[in-house]
Amino acid sequence: MSAPVKIVFLGGLGEIGRNCFCLEVDDRILVVDCGIMFPEADMPGVDLVLPDFTYLRENADRVEAAFLTHAHEDHAGGLAFLLRDVPMPIYGSLLSLGLARSRIEEAGMLGHTELIPVHDGERRWIGPFDCEFIPVTHSVPSAFATAYHTPAGTILHSGDFKLDPTPVDGRKTDLALMGDIAKRTGGVRMLLSDSTNACRPGFTPSESTVGETLRDVFRDHPQQRFIVASFASHLHRVRQVADAAVREGRRVAFLGRSMLSNVSLGREMGILDIPSDRVIDIEDVPRYSPGEVCIICTGSQGEPMSALSLMAAHEHKHVKISADDVVVISAHAIPGNETNVSRIIDSLHRAGAEVLHGGSSPVHVSGHAAQEELKMLINVVQPEWFVPVHGEYTHMVHHARLAESVGVAPDHVIVCEDGDALTLELTPDGRCAVEAERRAVPAGFLYVDGIVGDVGQGVLRDRRNLAEEGLVVVIVTVDTVTGEVVTGPEIVTRGWVYAPEAEELLEDAKAAVLASLREAVDEGATDFETLRRHARRSLGRFINERTRRRPAIVPVVMEV
Ligand SMILES: [Zn+2]
Ligand SMILES: [Zn+2]
């Protein structure tokens, strides 16, 4: 008997980001998406968070390939890291692969993979996986939902999607194909669907509405320069900004490394069609009057080193933001980035600019389906089983209720979390039996800082403690023969008290340590470990009594 069909969730179920699951057929593994998550405020110094790759590393010989539903960082950004340990080919739309390629190339991992494009409506085998790629609309062009025709029946994964009736490129979510698949296969056994906006009632507005808003905004400010920040991968947004600018007779300059590379990819692939004579280099912007220019840049997440931040701080070489500028932030803050975004909006206002952002003006719409669209998908697919994916726990629970409200049997709706595994088997009467195993595989957060792999919980705990309480180092030199304190104790502190203003306190602290060391020596202790312990304890007690704080204490005992 062949191995049962399995789905193992490694990330994205319980948080926004690091989307990743394994589909298993005939004991082979297809990795569907492999994303990163942006760090939260309580993860100091962490650059990004990855799924736990333990399961994939331990089963590397069973990994057939990866499939990218689309190229957003929360679906594709982790591949460069995974490829280091698990080389494999990556399938996806031509654009998804083009967008994902640069990160993989930067990591030096192109040699560990082969990028294989698949096309709208195509059905093909990837090893034992019979896959069918369905166009969906989202905030990046060329995204896919996918039908996996498995021995346990058809599993449909929505990917990130919305039902945009008037997408910028005319490529709609192919509901008809999904309905056809449901009919053709005798019913979809399981639907995995995007929960990001499951708490939002109604429909998500069409991407084209942003174009209309932008046209009005441009018309209302004919004398001012426009600076529009958006995601570099949102090429339809970039296209609408550029179209509106060009229509109002402006020239367009692009700024930001990923913006420049994505725009050139988009122009190459025919997704962006901007007349070359309307595009100028950023260093030429000062030669035009404000009303003649529109700059399209990155930095919509308030990244402190982005071009937008530098422009606002008057630290950019070519562009300084002033009252002549209208800044449009055509994006929403990804969880984790909210503080940075409101900070940049503040500094833009301080620089005198007029600022339009998602919170103040319809210059942004979401790329994810709201409740009515989610229900519509379920109604079209009519799955036997429903599993909400991509979202915080609250989003998934709301999505589960939506599914029940349109008729999915409550005992056929499963809310899973990272690390859970589902086993699917066809029963003799043609139904699908599903077994859920909770916490079947490790699925914790993998913290990445710089080029070091996992920072780990211990390091994060230390960092949080250091951030909240500070550090005190006490240095003392001891004669090992007599046990006499020769020099010190010296106290160096960071983040406990401001040393120049706390001389008396520090003197008292030194005295406390010295007294405790003398006492230890009198009792016959000469070994470092004992002396170190005495120094740490006496200092800790003193600091707690005098300041009610608990900084990290590092005793350094040296010998002469
Ligand atoms: Zn996405
Ligand atoms: Zn996503």
Side-chain angles (χ1 to χ4, degrees):
M1 217 192 95
S2 64
V5 173
K6 273 177 83 175
I7 300 172
V8 181
F9 297 106
L10 293 185
L13 280 73
E15 68 266 327
I16 299 287
R18 49 173 224 145
N19 293 291
C20 183
F21 71 84
C22 308
L23 179 67
E24 306 192 13
V25 170
D26 278 354
D27 255 339
R28 301 296 292 165
I29 297 175
L30 181 70
V31 181
V32 179
D33 289 339
C34 181
I36 60 159
M37 186 175 97
F38 292 99
E40 309 268 343
D42 63 352
M43 304 174 188
V46 172
D47 299 330
L48 53 92
V49 185
L50 292 172
D52 189 326
F53 292 141
T54 308
Y55 180 70
L56 286 170
R57 266 203 308 268
E58 286 174 355
N59 294 280
D61 55 330
R62 295 204 288 125
V63 174
E64 181 74 36
F67 170 68
L68 270 187
T69 60
H70 64 292
H72 278 153
E73 289 284 43
D74 60 327
H75 293 255
L79 277 170
F81 297 87
L82 178 59
L83 284 174
R84 226 176 271 172
D85 298 327
V86 189
M88 66 185 116
I90 302 171
Y91 293 78
S93 70
L94 204 55
L95 179 71
S96 298
L97 297 178
L99 292 171
R101 184 192 166 91
S102 54
R103 199 187 251 275
I104 296 169
E105 193 167 16
E106 268 167 38
M109 286 297 127
L110 273 184
H112 285 205
T113 187
E114 187 188 350
L115 304 177
I116 303 167
V118 299
H119 307 283
D120 287 3
E122 183 183 352
R123 182 167 177 178
R124 78 180 283 168
W125 290 88
I126 300 174
F129 303 93
D130 178 0
C131 315
E132 195 164 349
F133 309 107
I134 307 157
V136 291
T137 48
H138 184 41
S139 43
V140 60
S142 283
F144 285 132
T146 320
Y148 300 99
H149 305 288
T150 78
T154 297
I155 300 166
L156 199 130
H157 174 221
S158 73
D160 281 1
F161 82 103
K162 69 194 251 186
L163 300 181
D164 191 336
T166 52
V168 171
D169 59 356
R171 178 185 177 274
K172 292 173 204 163
T173 296
D174 201 340
L175 280 177
L177 177 54
M178 295 194 215
D180 178 54
I181 288 170
K183 216 171 276 160
R184 209 196 311 138
T185 59
V188 166
R189 293 299 152 205
M190 182 177 281
L191 172 63
L192 312 170
S193 184
D194 173 14
S195 309
T196 309
N197 277 352
C199 299
R200 274 202 217 172
F203 291 86
T204 300
S206 169
E207 176 62 27
S208 334
T209 62
V210 176
E212 288 156 28
T213 306
L214 286 170
R215 264 194 305 279
D216 293 343
V217 172
F218 274 91
R219 247 171 236 155
D220 291 347
H221 302 81
Q223 308 296 332
Q224 281 163 292
R225 185 169 60 187
F226 269 88
I227 297 170
V228 184
S230 132
F231 279 109
S233 59
H234 201 338
L235 290 171
H236 286 154
R237 187 66 53 82
V238 171
R239 171 166 155 184
Q240 297 200 93
V241 177
D243 282 355
V246 169
R247 198 170 300 132
E248 295 304 309
R250 289 175 187 257
R251 293 179 201 258
V252 180
F254 296 101
L255 183 56
R257 205 163 59 107
S258 56
M259 185 62 79
L260 286 163
S261 69
N262 290 358
V263 162
S264 87
L265 182 70
R267 293 178 84 183
E268 237 168 74
M269 293 184 57
I271 294 166
L272 284 176
D273 179 22
I274 310 164
S276 296
D277 60 331
R278 307 311 294 179
V279 180
I280 58 171
D281 284 338
I282 194 72
E283 51 262 39
D284 293 329
V285 164
R287 292 180 27 217
Y288 294 86
S289 67
E292 292 177 311
V293 181
C294 172
I295 299 168
I296 303 176
C297 64
T298 52
S300 68
Q301 297 304 298
E303 305 93 321
M305 290 316 290
S306 70
L308 187 62
S309 294
L310 296 180
M311 289 189 282
H314 284 195
E315 280 168 11
H316 193 271
K317 209 159 46 160
H318 306 293
V319 183
K320 292 176 183 25
I321 286 175
S322 72
D324 286 332
D325 292 304
V326 178
V327 179
V328 180
I329 299 186
S330 190
H332 77 297
I334 290 175
N337 297 340
E338 295 91 344
T339 319
N340 279 346
V341 171
S342 53
R343 203 167 286 155
I344 182 105
I345 291 174
D346 243 26
S347 64
L348 291 167
H349 278 116
R350 199 168 287 125
E354 186 173 334
V355 186
L356 304 172
H357 51 91
S360 70
S361 156
V363 289
H364 171 70
V365 297
S366 171
H368 298 273
Q371 288 177 351
E372 295 309 313
E373 296 157 87
L374 295 172
K375 286 194 267 186
M376 199 179 291
L377 177 69
I378 299 167
N379 282 338
V380 167
V381 174
Q382 295 191 38
E384 187 180 340
W385 293 86
F386 180 77
V387 180
V389 295
H390 307 173
E392 292 167 5
Y393 199 77
T394 305
H395 302 142
M396 297 193 296
V397 169
H398 278 253
H399 202 181
R401 286 192 198 133
L402 289 179
E404 290 167 22
S405 78
V406 294
V408 183
D411 60 351
H412 279 55
V413 175
I414 314 175
V415 177
C416 289
E417 289 190 87
D418 298 340
D420 292 356
L422 300 175
T423 306
L424 291 75
E425 254 166 321
L426 227 45
T427 59
D429 63 344
R431 306 201 131 281
C432 183
V434 176
E435 192 108 25
E437 189 190 344
R438 303 294 176 179
R439 297 202 188 94
V441 305
F445 287 179
L446 196 78
Y447 304 99
V448 177
D449 180 8
I451 54 166
V452 181
D454 189 8
V455 175
Q457 274 297 350
V459 170
L460 267 198
R461 214 168 24 241
D462 281 354
R463 284 183 185 178
R464 277 194 291 264
N465 192 47
L466 287 170
E468 278 163 24
E469 301 284 349
L471 169 75
V472 181
V473 183
V474 54
I475 306 153
V476 62
T477 315
V478 179
D479 185 320
T480 34
V481 182
T482 62
E484 197 79 18
V485 173
V486 185
T487 58
E490 286 304 318
I491 290 182
V492 181
T493 164
R494 292 285 182 276
W496 168 44
V497 290
Y498 184 55
E501 286 172 7
E503 240 172 86
E504 208 187 307
L505 188 68
L506 292 180
E507 285 309 316
D508 290 352
K510 287 179 200 169
V513 174
L514 193 59
S516 153
L517 289 176
R518 290 227 168 100
E519 195 181 307
V521 170
D522 286 347
E523 282 162 13
T526 49
D527 65 296
F528 287 117
E529 205 30 66
T530 309
L531 295 175
R532 210 178 284 142
R533 201 170 55 237
H534 271 81
R536 179 191 287 125
R537 263 200 213 141
S538 57
L539 188 56
R541 204 179 308 126
F542 174 87
I543 290 171
N544 189 29
E545 271 166 20
R546 290 285 290 269
T547 61
R548 292 276 170 258
R549 307 247 184 95
R550 307 181 64 82
I553 295 170
V554 181
V556 181
V557 179
M558 295 183 290
E559 65 174 310
V560 284

